[in-house]
Amino acid sequence: MWNYLQNLTYWDWLALGTLLLILEVFGAGGYLLWIGVAAACVGVITFIAPELHWAIQFLLFGVLSIVTAVYWWRRQRSAAKPSAQPGLNQRGQEFIGRQFALHEAISGGRGKIRAGDSLWLVTGPDLPAGSQVRVIGQDGVLLRVEPA
C-alpha cells in the first residue's frame, strides 16, 4: 500500500475524481462535488508534472479541496437574494387586508369565507353568513378576520 501511494499517477487522481463525482450524483448534496473537482485538478497537475512527489500531491489535493469548497460557499452566499415575492409559498398571506363575504356564519369563533376558488376557515367574532369581513392575519390554515 505504501509503495502504491508513493507512485501515484494522474490516472489515479482522475479515477478518484470520477468516483467522487459519481458518488455526488447519488445524492451527497454537493459535499463530494468540490472534492472530486480538486482530485481531477491534481490529476491534471500530475499529468503536467509527473515527477511531483506524492506528499505534495496530497497537500495539493487538500488545499484545492478547501479552496474550491470555500469559493463555492462564498459564491452561493453572495448570489442569495431576497425574493421579489416573499409570500409566494404562503397562500393565506395574499388575503391579508382584503375584504370577503362570509360563506358560512362565524359561530363559536369559527366560520368560512370563499377566497379565490377555495373555502378558507376563519376565526373571529360571531357574524351571520354574508357579512363583510376583513382578513387581518393568519394562523397556519386559519385566517383571522374582523368585521369590515
Side-chain angles (χ1 to χ4, degrees):
M1 181 72 167
W2 186 250
N3 190 32
Y4 178 74
L5 290 176
Q6 290 179 342
N7 297 308
L8 288 175
T9 65
Y10 68 94
W11 285 114
D12 298 315
W13 287 107
L14 293 178
L16 176 63
T18 302
L19 177 66
L20 290 170
L21 293 175
I22 288 171
L23 291 174
E24 174 63 35
V25 169
F26 289 113
Y31 297 111
L32 299 178
L33 176 67
W34 300 108
I35 298 172
V37 168
C41 288
V42 172
V44 170
I45 292 170
T46 306
F47 178 74
I48 295 169
E51 70 282 348
L52 202 60
H53 193 264
W54 66 271
I56 295 174
Q57 292 177 24
F58 278 101
L59 184 64
L60 273 172
F61 175 64
V63 169
L64 286 174
S65 295
I66 292 170
V67 167
T68 55
V70 168
Y71 167 75
W72 185 251
W73 178 73
R74 285 187 163 195
R75 182 181 158 120
Q76 289 295 93
R77 276 192 67 185
S78 67
K81 295 180 181 127
S83 174
Q85 298 174 335
L88 182 62
N89 290 326
Q90 300 171 355
R91 282 195 63 214
Q93 295 292 317
E94 66 191 56
F95 301 129
I96 294 177
R98 293 178 52 191
Q99 290 186 10
F100 299 95
L102 281 175
H103 184 71
E104 290 182 13
I106 299 178
S107 175
R110 298 259 172 127
K112 291 183 181 179
I113 62 171
R114 179 170 294 280
D117 61 351
S118 302
L119 287 176
W120 285 79
L121 291 172
V122 296
T123 60
D126 291 351
L127 294 168
S131 299
Q132 289 290 316
V133 293
R134 179 183 351 274
V135 178
I136 59 170
Q138 180 182 11
D139 292 321
V141 296
L142 296 172
L143 298 176
R144 289 189 317 249
V145 296
E146 67 181 9

